[in-house]
Structure formats: C-alpha cells, structure tokens
Amino acid sequence: YTIVLLDDGVATPEGVYIGSDISKVVSAYGDIGSEQNVAIYTQGNTSITIGLRDGTVVSITYTAII
C-alpha cells in the first residue's frame, strides 16, 4: 500500500508537511544521511520517503508492506 501526500494541507503525525524545512525533517525523524534529495525512514513494515529540493520538502510518500 502507498499513500502520497500532494499538498501542504496534510502533515505527518510528526508535523512534517510539503514545504517544511529540512531541519524539521531531521528533528522529527533523525539524520537524512548523505543523500540530499531524498530521505527514507523505516519502522517495522512501513517506510516514509521524503523528497527534498533546496532543503525543502517537496513530496512525502508512505509505503506499507503487508
């Protein structure tokens, strides 16, 4: 299953939304690693992929493997 957030009207439970600054992502989820355009965080059978452009969130995708 996949859920894609397409606008800033919805935020993750941690408060990250399209348009959030990269510092908010790091505060909510931890270090993004060396990749500058995408951050992927996994917990259990769910992952969240956060697309970044110029330090700003441009996409959020949840993926669950059931």
Side-chain angles (χ1 to χ4, degrees):
Y1 297 100
T2 301
I3 298 171
V4 180
L5 305 183
L6 299 173
D7 63 41
D8 63 358
V10 180
T12 69
E14 296 78 15
V16 175
Y17 56 90
I18 306 264
S20 290
D21 187 79
I22 193 170
S23 63
K24 186 159 188 91
V25 174
V26 172
S27 267
Y29 299 105
D31 185 33
I32 66 164
S34 62
E35 180 63 46
Q36 296 297 315
N37 297 321
V38 67
I40 301 172
Y41 303 96
T42 302
Q43 183 175 20
N45 66 346
T46 304
S47 69
I48 183 170
T49 303
I50 300 174
L52 300 160
R53 184 180 309 131
D54 298 326
T56 302
V57 175
V58 294
S59 66
I60 301 172
T61 304
Y62 281 100
T63 305
I65 299 172
I66 297 177

